[in-house]
Protein backbone atom coordinates (compact mmCIF):
# COMPACT_ATOMS: atom_id res chain seq x y z
CA UNK A 1 0.00 0.00 0.00
CA UNK A 2 1.24 3.49 -0.85
CA UNK A 3 2.48 5.63 2.02
CA UNK A 4 0.77 8.59 0.30
CA UNK A 5 -2.92 8.44 1.28
CA UNK A 6 -3.91 10.39 -1.80
CA UNK A 7 -2.82 7.37 -3.84
CA UNK A 8 -5.16 5.04 -1.95
CA UNK A 9 -8.33 3.47 -3.20
CA UNK A 10 -10.81 4.67 -0.58
CA UNK A 11 -13.99 2.67 -0.11
CA UNK A 12 -17.09 4.20 1.49
CA UNK A 13 -19.56 1.79 3.06
CA UNK A 14 -22.69 3.88 3.39
CA UNK A 15 -23.46 6.54 0.80
CA UNK A 16 -25.87 8.66 2.80
CA UNK A 17 -25.31 12.27 3.80
CA UNK A 18 -21.96 11.57 5.47
CA UNK A 19 -20.67 9.30 2.72
CA UNK A 20 -21.56 11.74 -0.02
CA UNK A 21 -19.91 14.67 1.77
CA UNK A 22 -16.71 12.69 2.25
CA UNK A 23 -16.82 11.52 -1.36
CA UNK A 24 -17.13 15.08 -2.65
CA UNK A 25 -14.24 16.37 -0.55
CA UNK A 26 -11.99 13.42 -1.41
CA UNK A 27 -12.75 13.59 -5.12
CA UNK A 28 -11.81 17.30 -5.12
CA UNK A 29 -8.31 16.03 -4.31
CA UNK A 30 -8.45 13.48 -7.16
CA UNK A 31 -8.49 10.61 -4.68
CA UNK A 32 -9.99 7.39 -6.05
CA UNK A 33 -13.29 6.71 -4.26
CA UNK A 34 -15.62 3.72 -4.46
CA UNK A 35 -18.87 3.31 -2.54
CA UNK A 36 -21.48 0.76 -1.58
CA UNK A 37 -24.86 1.25 0.06
CA UNK A 38 -27.70 -1.25 0.48
CA UNK A 39 -30.06 1.38 -0.98
CA UNK A 40 -28.39 0.77 -4.33
CA UNK A 41 -30.40 -2.46 -4.48
CA UNK A 42 -33.53 -0.34 -4.93
CA UNK A 43 -34.16 1.49 -8.20
CA UNK A 44 -36.09 4.24 -6.45
CA UNK A 45 -33.97 4.76 -3.32
CA UNK A 46 -30.72 4.16 -5.20
CA UNK A 47 -31.45 6.59 -8.03
CA UNK A 48 -30.21 9.75 -6.28
CA UNK A 49 -27.12 7.89 -5.05
CA UNK A 50 -26.25 6.75 -8.56
CA UNK A 51 -26.78 10.29 -9.87
CA UNK A 52 -24.49 11.72 -7.21
CA UNK A 53 -21.80 9.11 -7.84
CA UNK A 54 -21.91 9.81 -11.57
CA UNK A 55 -21.61 13.55 -11.01
CA UNK A 56 -18.58 13.21 -8.73
CA UNK A 57 -16.69 10.34 -10.31
CA UNK A 58 -17.37 7.78 -7.60
CA UNK A 59 -17.37 4.13 -8.66
CA UNK A 60 -20.26 2.17 -7.14
CA UNK A 61 -19.80 -1.42 -6.00
CA UNK A 62 -22.30 -4.26 -5.82
CA UNK A 63 -21.55 -5.58 -2.32
CA UNK A 64 -19.52 -5.06 0.85
CA UNK A 65 -17.01 -7.67 -0.29
CA UNK A 66 -16.74 -6.16 -3.78
CA UNK A 67 -15.78 -2.82 -2.25
CA UNK A 68 -13.56 -4.11 0.55
CA UNK A 69 -11.48 -6.45 -1.62
CA UNK A 70 -10.10 -3.48 -3.58
CA UNK A 71 -9.92 -0.76 -0.92
CA UNK A 72 -6.73 0.34 0.84
CA UNK A 73 -8.83 2.33 3.27
CA UNK A 74 -12.47 1.59 4.17
CA UNK A 75 -14.71 4.11 5.92
CA UNK A 76 -17.82 2.62 7.48
CA UNK A 77 -20.44 5.38 7.73
CA UNK A 78 -23.77 3.65 8.24
CA UNK A 79 -26.47 3.75 10.91
CA UNK A 80 -25.36 2.93 14.45
CA UNK A 81 -27.09 -0.44 14.61
CA UNK A 82 -25.21 -1.61 11.51
CA UNK A 83 -21.66 -0.96 12.75
CA UNK A 84 -20.97 -4.57 13.72
CA UNK A 85 -22.93 -6.18 10.84
CA UNK A 86 -20.99 -4.06 8.34
CA UNK A 87 -17.67 -5.04 9.90
CA UNK A 88 -18.75 -8.67 9.65
CA UNK A 89 -19.79 -8.24 6.01
CA UNK A 90 -16.44 -6.62 5.15
CA UNK A 91 -14.10 -8.74 7.25
CA UNK A 92 -13.83 -11.75 4.98
CA UNK A 93 -12.70 -9.69 1.99
CA UNK A 94 -10.50 -7.08 3.68
CA UNK A 95 -7.05 -6.66 2.15
CA UNK A 96 -4.12 -7.53 4.38
CA UNK A 97 -2.99 -4.37 6.12
CA UNK A 98 -5.87 -2.26 4.82
CA UNK A 99 -7.23 0.40 7.15
CA UNK A 100 -10.82 0.24 8.38
CA UNK A 101 -12.15 3.44 9.98
CA UNK A 102 -15.40 2.95 11.86
CA UNK A 103 -17.15 6.32 11.63
CA UNK A 104 -20.31 5.06 13.30
CA UNK A 105 -21.85 6.26 16.56
CA UNK A 106 -21.75 2.93 18.37
CA UNK A 107 -21.04 1.88 21.95
CA UNK A 108 -17.51 0.99 23.07
CA UNK A 109 -18.57 -2.66 23.25
CA UNK A 110 -19.83 -2.58 19.66
CA UNK A 111 -16.58 -1.00 18.47
CA UNK A 112 -14.58 -3.70 20.20
CA UNK A 113 -16.65 -6.45 18.55
CA UNK A 114 -16.24 -4.83 15.15
CA UNK A 115 -12.49 -4.49 15.67
CA UNK A 116 -12.14 -8.19 16.48
CA UNK A 117 -13.76 -9.04 13.13
CA UNK A 118 -11.55 -6.73 11.03
CA UNK A 119 -8.28 -7.29 12.87
CA UNK A 120 -8.92 -11.03 12.97
CA UNK A 121 -8.94 -11.09 9.16
CA UNK A 122 -5.77 -9.05 8.64
CA UNK A 123 -7.18 -5.54 8.46
CA UNK A 124 -6.32 -2.61 10.71
CA UNK A 125 -9.35 -1.33 12.60
CA UNK A 126 -9.49 2.20 14.03
CA UNK A 127 -12.52 3.66 15.74
CA UNK A 128 -13.57 7.17 14.86
CA UNK A 129 -15.78 9.38 17.01
CA UNK A 130 -17.31 12.32 15.15
CA UNK A 131 -17.64 15.10 17.70
CA UNK A 132 -20.20 17.41 16.12
CA UNK A 133 -22.54 17.73 13.15
CA UNK A 134 -20.73 16.97 9.90
CA UNK A 135 -22.36 19.28 7.30
CA UNK A 136 -20.92 22.60 8.52
CA UNK A 137 -17.39 21.17 8.81
CA UNK A 138 -17.52 18.52 6.09
CA UNK A 139 -14.29 16.47 5.96
CA UNK A 140 -12.75 18.72 8.62
CA UNK A 141 -15.28 17.71 11.29
CA UNK A 142 -13.46 17.12 14.61
CA UNK A 143 -12.67 13.40 14.75
CA UNK A 144 -11.28 11.41 17.68
CA UNK A 145 -9.44 8.19 16.88
CA UNK A 146 -8.94 5.13 19.04
CA UNK A 147 -7.20 1.79 18.81
CA UNK A 148 -3.74 0.38 18.32
CA UNK A 149 -3.39 1.88 14.85
CA UNK A 150 -4.82 5.30 15.70
CA UNK A 151 -1.47 7.06 16.11
CA UNK A 152 -0.22 5.79 12.75
CA UNK A 153 -3.44 6.54 10.88
CA UNK A 154 -3.96 10.05 12.29
CA UNK A 155 -1.32 11.89 10.19
CA UNK A 156 -2.43 10.03 7.08
CA UNK A 157 -6.00 11.23 7.64
CA UNK A 158 -4.74 14.78 8.20
CA UNK A 159 -3.03 14.47 4.83
CA UNK A 160 -6.45 13.79 3.30
CA UNK A 161 -7.94 16.86 4.96
CA UNK A 162 -9.50 15.28 8.07
CA UNK A 163 -9.24 16.99 11.46
CA UNK A 164 -8.19 13.80 13.24
CA UNK A 165 -6.70 13.52 16.72
CA UNK A 166 -5.80 10.44 18.75
CA UNK A 167 -7.93 9.93 21.85
CA UNK A 168 -6.38 6.69 23.07
CA UNK A 169 -4.65 3.52 21.85
CA UNK A 170 -7.35 1.68 23.78
CA UNK A 171 -10.50 0.83 21.82
CA UNK A 172 -13.68 2.28 23.23
CA UNK A 173 -12.29 5.48 24.76
CA UNK A 174 -13.04 7.70 21.75
CA UNK A 175 -16.52 6.20 21.46
CA UNK A 176 -17.15 6.73 25.16
CA UNK A 177 -16.41 10.45 24.72
CA UNK A 178 -18.83 10.60 21.80
CA UNK A 179 -21.56 8.60 23.51
CA UNK A 180 -21.43 10.57 26.76
CA UNK A 181 -21.60 13.81 24.80
CA UNK A 182 -24.62 12.48 22.93
CA UNK A 183 -26.49 11.87 26.19
CA UNK A 184 -26.47 15.66 26.45
CA UNK A 185 -26.70 16.83 22.84
CA UNK A 186 -29.31 14.40 21.54
CA UNK A 187 -31.11 14.73 24.86
CA UNK A 188 -31.28 18.51 24.43
CA UNK A 189 -32.77 18.05 20.98
CA UNK A 190 -35.50 15.80 22.37
CA UNK A 191 -36.15 18.08 25.34
CA UNK A 192 -36.40 21.20 23.18
CA UNK A 193 -38.92 19.55 20.85
CA UNK A 194 -40.97 18.29 23.78
CA UNK A 195 -40.78 21.52 25.82
CA UNK A 196 -41.28 23.95 22.93
CA UNK A 197 -44.19 22.02 21.40
CA UNK A 198 -45.90 21.74 24.77
CA UNK A 199 -45.32 25.44 25.46
CA UNK A 200 -46.80 26.26 22.07
CA UNK A 201 -49.90 24.21 22.88
CA UNK A 202 -50.42 26.17 26.10
CA UNK A 203 -49.62 29.50 24.46
CA UNK A 204 -46.71 30.20 26.80
CA UNK A 205 -43.77 29.82 24.42
CA UNK A 206 -42.71 33.47 24.61
CA UNK A 207 -42.55 33.34 28.41
CA UNK A 208 -40.65 30.06 28.34
CA UNK A 209 -38.10 31.34 25.85
CA UNK A 210 -37.66 34.56 27.83
CA UNK A 211 -36.96 32.51 30.96
CA UNK A 212 -34.46 30.31 29.11
CA UNK A 213 -32.70 33.39 27.74
CA UNK A 214 -32.37 34.78 31.26
CA UNK A 215 -30.88 31.51 32.52
CA UNK A 216 -28.70 30.80 29.46
CA UNK A 217 -28.08 34.26 27.89
CA UNK A 218 -25.41 33.01 25.48
CA UNK A 219 -27.89 30.80 23.58
CA UNK A 220 -30.22 32.15 20.90
CA UNK A 221 -33.15 29.85 21.76
CA UNK A 222 -35.21 30.81 18.71
CA UNK A 223 -32.38 29.90 16.36
CA UNK A 224 -31.30 26.87 18.38
CA UNK A 225 -34.86 25.61 18.59
CA UNK A 226 -35.32 25.84 14.82
CA UNK A 227 -32.04 24.02 14.26
CA UNK A 228 -32.96 21.19 16.64
CA UNK A 229 -36.35 20.72 15.00
CA UNK A 230 -34.71 20.69 11.56
CA UNK A 231 -32.09 18.10 12.47
CA UNK A 232 -34.43 15.71 14.24
CA UNK A 233 -37.10 15.89 11.52
CA UNK A 234 -34.50 15.16 8.86
CA UNK A 235 -32.28 12.71 10.75
CA UNK A 236 -34.40 11.42 13.63
CA UNK A 237 -34.21 7.81 12.49
CA UNK A 238 -30.42 7.77 12.45
CA UNK A 239 -30.31 9.78 15.67
CA UNK A 240 -32.66 7.38 17.46
CA UNK A 241 -30.41 4.46 16.52
CA UNK A 242 -27.39 6.36 17.77
CA UNK A 243 -29.07 7.10 21.10
CA UNK A 244 -29.95 3.42 21.50
CA UNK A 245 -26.19 2.84 21.28
CA UNK A 246 -25.76 5.65 23.81
CA UNK A 247 -28.17 3.81 26.10
CA UNK A 248 -26.15 0.64 25.61
CA UNK A 249 -22.99 2.55 26.54
CA UNK A 250 -24.64 3.66 29.79
CA UNK A 251 -25.95 0.14 30.38
CA UNK A 252 -22.47 -1.35 29.90
CA UNK A 253 -21.30 0.35 33.11
CA UNK A 254 -24.32 -0.91 35.06
CA UNK A 255 -26.34 2.31 35.03
CA UNK A 256 -29.97 2.32 33.85
CA UNK A 257 -30.16 4.72 30.85
CA UNK A 258 -33.50 6.37 31.63
CA UNK A 259 -32.62 9.67 29.92
CA UNK A 260 -31.07 8.07 26.84
CA UNK A 261 -33.97 5.65 26.43
CA UNK A 262 -36.47 8.51 26.52
CA UNK A 263 -34.40 10.51 24.04
CA UNK A 264 -34.29 7.56 21.63
CA UNK A 265 -38.07 7.20 21.81
CA UNK A 266 -38.70 10.89 21.14
CA UNK A 267 -36.26 10.96 18.21
CA UNK A 268 -37.87 7.84 16.71
CA UNK A 269 -41.34 9.31 17.25
CA UNK A 270 -40.45 12.43 15.25
CA UNK A 271 -38.91 10.19 12.57
CA UNK A 272 -42.18 8.28 12.33
CA UNK A 273 -44.09 11.53 11.82
CA UNK A 274 -41.63 12.57 9.12
CA UNK A 275 -42.10 9.22 7.36
CA UNK A 276 -45.86 9.80 7.44
CA UNK A 277 -45.38 13.10 5.60
CA UNK A 278 -46.42 15.34 8.48
CA UNK A 279 -43.62 17.83 7.76
CA UNK A 280 -43.87 17.73 3.98
CA UNK A 281 -42.24 15.63 1.30
CA UNK A 282 -38.77 14.30 2.00
CA UNK A 283 -36.23 15.33 -0.58
CA UNK A 284 -37.96 18.59 -1.48
CA UNK A 285 -35.91 21.75 -1.05
CA UNK A 286 -37.90 23.13 1.89
CA UNK A 287 -38.17 19.90 3.85
CA UNK A 288 -36.95 20.35 7.45
CA UNK A 289 -35.67 23.84 6.69
CA UNK A 290 -38.19 26.06 8.47
CA UNK A 291 -36.47 28.97 10.20
CA UNK A 292 -39.30 29.14 12.74
CA UNK A 293 -39.68 26.12 15.01
CA UNK A 294 -43.33 27.10 15.57
CA UNK A 295 -44.19 25.95 12.06
CA UNK A 296 -43.08 22.42 12.85
CA UNK A 297 -44.54 22.47 16.38
CA UNK A 298 -47.91 23.47 14.92
CA UNK A 299 -47.72 20.55 12.50
CA UNK A 300 -47.03 18.19 15.40
CA UNK A 301 -49.97 19.61 17.38
CA UNK A 302 -52.26 19.34 14.36
CA UNK A 303 -51.21 15.73 13.93
CA UNK A 304 -51.92 14.98 17.59
CA UNK A 305 -55.35 16.62 17.32
CA UNK A 306 -56.15 14.63 14.20
CA UNK A 307 -55.18 11.35 15.84
CA UNK A 308 -57.24 12.17 18.93
CA UNK A 309 -60.31 12.98 16.85
CA UNK A 310 -59.98 9.64 15.02
CA UNK A 311 -59.85 7.81 18.34
CA UNK A 312 -63.00 9.58 19.52
Amino acid sequence: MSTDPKQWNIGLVGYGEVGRILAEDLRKQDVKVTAYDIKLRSDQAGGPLRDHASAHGVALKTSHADLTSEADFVISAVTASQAVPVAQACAGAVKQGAWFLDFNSASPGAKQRAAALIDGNGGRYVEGAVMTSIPPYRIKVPLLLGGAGAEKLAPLLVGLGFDAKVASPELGVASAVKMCRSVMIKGMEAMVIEAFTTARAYGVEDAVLASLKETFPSIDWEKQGAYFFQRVIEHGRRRSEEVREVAETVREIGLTPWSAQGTAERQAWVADLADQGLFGTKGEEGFARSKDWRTEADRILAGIASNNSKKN
Side-chain angles (χ1 to χ4, degrees):
M1 191 193 312
S2 174
T3 56
D4 178 2
K6 292 189 177 182
Q7 299 301 314
W8 288 352
N9 178 345
I10 298 180
L12 299 171
V13 180
Y15 204 49
E17 180 186 40
V18 173
R20 293 195 297 273
I21 287 173
L22 295 179
E24 290 170 11
D25 290 356
L26 289 168
R27 288 296 299 137
K28 287 176 183 177
Q29 305 173 63
D30 291 325
V31 176
K32 183 177 181 180
V33 177
T34 60
Y36 173 70
D37 194 296
I38 59 173
K39 287 184 178 179
L40 292 168
R41 300 173 185 173
S42 164
D43 291 338
Q44 183 175 359
L49 306 189
R50 285 186 282 271
D51 291 343
H52 183 277
S54 177
H56 294 278
V58 175
L60 297 178
K61 296 298 182 177
T62 58
S63 68
H64 296 92
D66 185 24
L67 177 142
T68 311
S69 63
E70 298 180 3
D72 302 306
F73 175 44
V74 177
I75 301 175
S76 176
V78 294
T79 55
S81 64
Q82 294 304 301
V84 176
V86 163
Q88 186 170 26
C90 293
V94 69
K95 290 170 61 176
Q96 296 297 299
W99 294 103
F100 187 100
L101 177 62
D102 192 333
F103 231 59
N104 304 302
S105 299
S107 73
K111 293 290 179 86
Q112 289 161 2
R113 292 192 295 275
L117 291 164
I118 298 299
D119 292 344
N121 282 273
R124 290 187 283 182
Y125 180 99
V126 174
E127 68 169 328
V130 179
M131 298 309 296
T132 189
S133 181
I134 289 176
Y137 295 88
R138 301 184 65 84
I139 199 170
K140 292 189 177 297
V141 66
L143 180 67
L144 295 182
L145 304 180
E151 189 170 348
K152 188 170 183 179
L153 181 61
L156 299 172
L157 290 182
V158 171
L160 289 168
F162 288 87
D163 180 13
K165 295 180 176 62
V166 178
S168 172
E170 180 183 347
L171 274 175
V173 173
S175 294
V177 175
K178 164 73 172 179
M179 295 289 98
C180 293
R181 177 182 184 275
S182 290
V183 173
M184 294 293 296
I185 299 302
K186 302 302 187 294
M188 285 179 62
E189 292 173 348
M191 285 192 294
V192 162
I193 288 174
E194 186 168 305
F196 283 25
T197 301
T198 304
R200 180 72 169 162
Y202 282 104
V204 298
E205 65 270 22
D206 291 342
V208 170
L209 265 67
S211 178
L212 288 172
K213 182 176 178 60
E214 183 176 352
T215 306
F216 303 100
S218 64
I219 299 175
D220 183 338
W221 287 101
E222 290 283 359
K223 184 177 180 180
Q224 193 66 57
Y227 179 73
F228 281 163
F229 271 81
Q230 290 170 7
R231 298 302 290 174
V232 177
I233 289 168
E234 188 169 14
H235 301 293
R237 186 70 60 203
R238 174 168 57 80
R239 278 164 147 67
S240 68
E241 290 194 15
E242 176 184 328
V243 184
R244 295 191 199 288
E245 286 294 314
V246 170
E248 184 60 28
T249 302
V250 175
R251 198 175 288 113
E252 285 173 356
I253 67 153
L255 189 62
T256 302
W258 289 313
S259 296
Q261 287 174 175
T263 296
E265 293 304 314
R266 179 62 68 198
Q267 297 263 0
W269 180 77
V270 174
D272 288 342
L273 296 180
D275 288 345
Q276 294 164 17
L278 185 71
F279 305 106
T281 303
K282 286 186 176 182
E284 290 188 350
E285 186 175 346
F287 179 76
R289 289 295 180 271
S290 175
K291 294 182 179 180
D292 188 347
W293 62 266
R294 294 167 180 80
T295 299
E296 309 299 8
D298 286 345
R299 286 171 168 167
I300 291 173
L301 293 171
I304 293 171
S306 176
N307 287 336
N308 288 340
S309 65
K310 290 177 183 177
K311 291 178 182 177
N312 297 328

